[in-house]
């Protein structure tokens, strides 16, 4: 990914069951997730001195919403800034965010959003449609500001704010993501002072002005990032007095900190860690279907939109026969059983099975099965013979010795790497596993042969599909693009363009499946598994917390801010539960059960992500 996260998600979080529910011709007036802000703030004030500490293993790539693509970064931006719409924690349907309602014109080329009047920036200034218009226009006019989320505005023709509560977006052609624009809206009065958006990381002055449930108050590279409740948040302030994301390079150290009570929550557990924690007092393990995939990516030849090639990828991987042979020699069943110890589903298509409407899997002759004997035949037929030492060599006499980028903080990468060395070694192919603290630099420079890849998928799959289009390539070798793996295929691009304008959910789902089929056939990526969300938290620190989706969902890397916003400190649980019931907000009974309290609170429910939001 261009940011690869150790525990793969995705580059953008930061998505859930079902196709995108696009609100069409008849128009939509989405009722907000209502809560009594005053009651929630009062409740927060009672819980004096409570801190929720989350252990993370992925570093922050940028605190600028215009640049950030890693899952940790985009997850934090979901806490600090509102998007126009949000996703219902129960079933991922669209619900209001900064916008309370939205309506398309009959030709669906003009979308009008009503901006709420009760959203305030943390410096006291009211958030208005002008902030949203400025955010989108900056992305439309400055390529550097479009680095992370440019795919959402590429089809925008004009964005205006005729009044503080009205945002109007005119499109060049229909766009299916208009209720799933996973773009953090920033305060114009702060960001209009920024000069070079390619260099501004938003990490020098604190607190950072935002209008989400939390305010970023402090940050130290690869140490921590601290947030406080935004007491002006329209949905009500969070109940913990502080939220801290603490960096741990070593997963065992993070687990030890959880056991000691030094941290409240640890995501991305190994199966062994999860099994050990299940017997620990005051610790709850959450094991649920995940929203990410774990893949093997090959370098297709790094290139930029100006036609220049760069990087030092092995040329043999440009041969489809070599890639096919490598993938035929990968036993996905063994990886699920031995590496993930059953806490994963065998991978095939690009979208995880959790997203039922978009889930695709190959069948018949298209499916790649584990067949090392066939892999040998493919290599022989393509002219890659074994020499006297048993090494495969090409026609140029160069041995098939490859490198694979590995996340040093991800034990799954290392474990799978050992299996690949064994399986490919029998074919006469060498593999050097290069584990780095950050794989981003060699990846973006094209200095790799293969890499362990993974992304968190959003309820709407547009973003994770867009990163494989030709338009996502960097403009020049010196620029950074949104591409995951430098893939550029005309047929894939054509299908992407079709799904982007298709409002019929069934037809769009079919196009998305055809895109996955094409990506599968190009043979540049091999999705090996869909890992479960394995995570744990201390019940003596967190009394209740919201999973997403409600039934068997994850806590870390959600499509929204629900987990940390809803978390109730154990010390104040009785009072908090009582107050919550009267205020009409979420009360969580256990990590996988969410109870909706109060009548008439939800009239409508429902990214990237979290351009998850990448991993």
């Amino acid at each position: 990914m261009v940011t690869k996260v150790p525990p793969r998600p995705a580059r953008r979080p930061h998505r859930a069951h079902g196709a995108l529910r696009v609100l069409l011709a008849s128009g939509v007036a989405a009722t907000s997730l209502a809560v009594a802000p005053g009651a929630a703030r009062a409740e927060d004030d009672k819980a004096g001195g409570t801190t929720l500490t989350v252990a993370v293993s992925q570093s922050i790539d940028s605190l600028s919403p215009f640049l950030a693509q890693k899952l940790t970064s985009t997850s934090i931006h979901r806490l600090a800034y509102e998007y126009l719409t949000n996703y219902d924690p129960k079933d991922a349907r669209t619900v209001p965010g900064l916008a309370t309602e939205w309506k398309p014109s009959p030709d669906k080329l003009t979308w009008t959003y009503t901006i709420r009047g009760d959203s305030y920036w943390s410096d006291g200034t009211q958030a208005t449609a002008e902030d949203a218009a400025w955010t989108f226009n900056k992305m439309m006019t400055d390529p550097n500001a479009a680095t992370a989320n440019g795919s959402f505005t590429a089809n925008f023709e004009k964005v205006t704010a005729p009044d503080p509560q009205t945002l109007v977006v005119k499109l060049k052609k229909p766009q299916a993501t208009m209720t799933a624009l996973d773009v953090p809206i920033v305060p114009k009065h702060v960001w209009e002072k920024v000069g070079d958006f390619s260099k501004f990381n938003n990490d020098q002055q604190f607190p950072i002005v935002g209008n989400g449930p939390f305010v970023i108050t402090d940050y130290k590279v690869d140490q921590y990032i601290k947030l406080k409740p935004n007491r002006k948040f329209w949905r009500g302030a969070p109940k913990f007095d502080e939220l801290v994301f603490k960096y741990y390079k070593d997963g065992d150290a993070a687990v030890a900190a959880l056991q000691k009570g030094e941290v409240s929550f640890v995501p991305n557990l190994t199966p062994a860690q999860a099994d050990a924690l299940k017997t620990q007092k005051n610790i709850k393990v959450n094991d649920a279907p995940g929203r990410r995939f774990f893949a093997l990516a090959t370098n297709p030849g790094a290139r930029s939109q100006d036609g220049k090639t760069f990087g030092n990828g092995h040329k043999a991987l440009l041969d489809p026969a070599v890639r096919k042979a490598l993938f035929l020699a990968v036993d996905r069943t063994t990886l699920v059983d031995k590496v993930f110890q059953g806490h994963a589903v065998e991978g095939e298509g690009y979208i995880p099975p959790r997203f039922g409407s978009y889930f695709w899997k190959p069948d018949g002759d298209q499916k790649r099965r584990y067949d090392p004997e066939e892999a040998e035949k493919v290599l022989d037929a393509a002219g890659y013979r074994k020499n006297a030492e048993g090494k495969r060599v090409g026609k140029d006499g160069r041995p098939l010795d490859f490198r694979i980028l590995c996340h040093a903080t991800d034990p799954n990468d290392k474990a799978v790497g050992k299996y690949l060395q064994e399986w490919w070694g029998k074919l006469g192919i060498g593999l050097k596993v290069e584990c780095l603290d950050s794989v981003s630099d060699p990846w973006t420079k094209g200095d790799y042969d293969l890499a362990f890849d993974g992304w968190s998928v959003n309820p709407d799959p547009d973003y994770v599909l867009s990163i494989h289009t030709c338009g996502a390539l960097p403009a020049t070798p010196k620029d950074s693009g949104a591409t995951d793996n430098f893939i550029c295929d005309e047929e894939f691009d054509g299908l992407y363009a079709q799904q982007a304008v298709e409002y019929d959910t069934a037809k769009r789902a079919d196009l998305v499946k055809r895109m996955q089929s094409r990506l599968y056939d190009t043979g540049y990526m091999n999705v090996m598994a869909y890992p479960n969300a394995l995570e744990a938290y201390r019940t003596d620190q967190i009394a209740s917390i919201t999973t997403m989706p409600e039934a068997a969902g994850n806590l870390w890397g959600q499509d929204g801010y629900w987990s940390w916003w809803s978390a109730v400190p154990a010390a104040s649980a009785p009072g908090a539960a009582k107050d919550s019931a009267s205020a009409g907000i979420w009360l969580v009974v256990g990590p996988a059960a969410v109870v909706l309290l109060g009548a008439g609170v939800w009239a409508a429910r429902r990214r990237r992500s979290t351009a998850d939001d990448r991993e």
Side-chain angles (χ1 to χ4, degrees):
M1 347 177 237
V2 198
T3 65
K4 288 26 196 185
V5 266
R8 231 135 292 338
R11 267 174 187 140
R12 257 159 163 302
H14 113 350
R15 301 118 162 105
H17 271 302
L20 167 69
R21 276 74 168 185
V22 181
L23 307 173
L24 302 176
S26 58
V28 165
T31 301
S32 67
L33 282 158
V35 68
R41 281 196 292 271
E43 180 179 65
D44 180 70
D45 290 338
K46 296 176 186 177
T50 55
T51 298
L52 195 165
T53 303
V54 178
V56 296
S57 59
Q58 183 188 51
S59 59
I60 301 292
D61 53 343
S62 178
L63 286 182
S64 165
F66 298 96
L67 300 177
Q69 292 174 296
K70 287 186 177 181
L71 180 62
T72 299
S73 309
T74 54
S75 294
I76 289 170
H77 285 146
R78 281 195 174 276
L79 303 176
Y81 303 95
E82 276 277 48
Y83 297 11
L84 288 181
T85 59
N86 207 330
Y87 301 103
D88 189 326
K90 179 179 180 181
D91 54 15
R93 295 180 188 176
T94 302
V95 294
L98 183 58
T100 59
E101 57 183 58
W102 41 91
K103 184 177 181 179
S105 59
D107 63 3
K108 302 179 181 64
L109 292 178
T110 300
W111 285 71
T112 302
Y113 300 83
T114 299
I115 303 302
R116 65 176 57 258
D118 57 352
S119 178
Y120 289 85
W121 299 108
S122 52
D123 63 1
T125 306
Q126 185 173 356
T128 69
E130 182 61 29
D131 294 304
W134 186 89
T135 300
F136 291 134
N137 278 303
K138 176 51 93 172
M139 294 169 61
M140 294 162 60
T141 57
D142 186 340
N144 293 320
T147 299
N149 301 303
S151 63
F152 290 110
T153 59
N155 182 45
F156 287 12
E157 180 177 300
K158 186 179 181 180
V159 182
T160 58
D163 62 66
Q165 266 67 59
T166 306
L167 176 73
V168 180
V169 179
K170 291 187 177 181
L171 305 173
K172 300 173 186 176
K173 54 188 176 183
Q175 182 168 323
T177 61
M178 295 306 290
T179 60
L181 297 172
D182 291 331
V183 178
I185 304 302
V186 304
K188 174 186 176 182
H189 66 284
V190 174
W191 283 82
E192 64 183 352
K193 302 172 185 176
V194 175
D196 188 346
F197 274 68
S198 69
K199 297 179 180 179
F200 183 72
N201 283 310
N202 198 30
D203 57 1
Q204 298 302 310
Q205 294 186 340
F206 300 94
I208 295 175
V209 178
N211 65 337
F214 291 90
V215 178
I216 301 172
T217 58
D218 195 11
Y219 167 61
K220 298 296 182 189
V221 177
D222 288 347
Q223 294 185 44
Y224 61 78
I225 182 165
K226 297 181 178 181
L227 303 93
K228 294 282 190 180
N230 177 8
R231 304 194 181 277
K232 298 180 178 67
F233 186 51
W234 68 271
R235 207 187 291 277
K239 300 166 190 64
F240 275 87
D241 292 311
E242 185 174 47
L243 174 62
V244 178
F245 293 89
K246 188 175 181 180
Y247 180 78
Y248 285 87
K249 180 179 178 180
D250 181 75
D252 289 333
V255 170
L258 180 74
Q259 292 172 315
K260 296 176 184 177
E262 296 172 354
V263 300
S264 315
F265 175 89
V266 176
N268 307 313
L269 299 172
T270 65
Q273 290 170 340
D275 289 342
L277 289 173
K278 287 178 181 177
T279 62
Q280 299 291 307
K281 182 181 180 181
N282 297 325
I283 291 179
K284 173 68 177 180
V285 174
N286 185 41
D287 184 357
R291 55 184 283 252
R292 67 187 181 87
F293 62 80
F294 177 67
L296 178 65
T298 63
N299 187 339
R303 53 174 162 163
S304 50
Q305 293 186 42
D306 61 5
K308 296 181 180 179
T309 59
F310 54 95
N312 58 15
H314 200 299
K315 301 301 182 184
L317 290 171
L318 301 180
D319 187 342
V322 174
R323 301 196 301 271
K324 180 179 180 180
L326 292 178
F327 293 171
L328 285 171
V330 175
D331 187 351
R332 297 188 300 276
T333 301
T334 291
L335 296 182
V336 169
D337 292 343
K338 301 299 184 181
V339 175
F340 296 98
Q341 297 180 31
H343 298 278
V345 176
E346 185 176 331
E348 291 181 305
Y350 189 67
I351 307 295
R354 169 169 160 176
F355 305 95
S357 297
Y358 296 118
F359 178 60
W360 169 89
K361 57 190 304 181
D363 53 25
D365 294 336
Q366 186 181 19
K367 181 180 175 66
R368 296 189 201 105
R369 294 175 172 80
Y370 176 56
D371 192 341
E373 292 183 1
E374 179 63 19
E376 294 268 9
K377 295 177 181 177
V378 169
L379 290 171
D380 288 339
Y384 297 91
R385 301 286 182 173
K386 287 184 178 179
N387 61 19
E389 298 175 350
K391 294 282 297 180
R392 292 277 178 180
V393 295
K395 296 177 182 178
D396 58 0
R398 185 181 179 185
L400 297 189
D401 285 329
F402 300 128
R403 305 158 296 166
I404 187 166
L405 284 176
C406 155
H407 302 85
T409 55
D410 190 350
N412 292 329
D413 281 13
K414 299 173 185 177
V416 174
K418 291 180 179 179
Y419 277 102
L420 296 181
Q421 287 176 320
E422 176 186 346
W423 293 331
W424 293 351
K426 294 178 180 178
L427 298 177
I429 295 174
L431 180 67
K432 181 181 180 182
V433 181
E434 299 180 336
C435 294
L436 307 174
D437 289 341
S438 175
V439 301
S440 295
D441 285 345
W443 203 312
T444 56
K445 293 177 182 177
D447 291 339
Y448 67 99
D449 299 329
L450 303 107
F452 291 113
D453 198 359
W455 284 82
S456 290
V457 179
N458 296 342
D460 186 278
D462 181 87
Y463 181 78
V464 291
L465 296 172
S466 74
I467 58 179
H468 294 304
T469 59
C470 300
L473 295 174
T476 72
K478 294 182 179 180
D479 294 313
S480 59
T483 184
D484 173 48
N485 196 46
F486 301 102
I487 293 175
C488 176
D489 177 74
E490 290 185 4
E491 183 175 333
F492 183 89
D493 273 22
L495 291 168
Y496 177 80
Q498 291 181 56
Q499 68 82 32
V501 302
E502 182 55 71
Y503 286 103
D504 183 288
T505 55
K507 292 180 180 179
R508 184 171 181 233
D510 180 65
L511 287 166
V512 169
K513 291 176 181 178
R514 289 170 60 189
M515 291 179 70
Q516 295 178 73
S517 177
R518 177 58 186 172
L519 187 62
Y520 188 91
D521 287 343
T522 58
Y524 292 116
M525 294 184 66
N526 182 23
V527 177
M528 297 182 288
Y530 310 113
N532 285 6
L534 271 180
E535 48 199 10
Y537 65 91
R538 292 199 65 93
T539 55
D540 56 353
Q541 294 186 24
I542 302 174
S544 61
I545 189 168
T546 301
T547 59
M548 183 178 184
E550 173 184 345
N554 57 289
L555 293 167
W556 168 246
Q558 292 183 356
D559 302 292
Y561 39 66
W562 310 113
S563 54
W564 314 127
W565 173 76
S566 71
V568 175
S572 62
K578 181 178 180 181
D579 291 344
S580 296
S582 61
I585 62 176
W586 284 98
L587 171 67
V588 183
V589 184
V594 181
V595 180
L596 184 62
L597 301 178
V601 176
W602 305 79
R605 311 163 185 267
R606 229 205 44 146
R607 144 197 148 83
R608 216 169 79 160
S609 63
T610 163
D612 122 119
D613 297 346
R614 147 199 278 178
E615 292 219 358

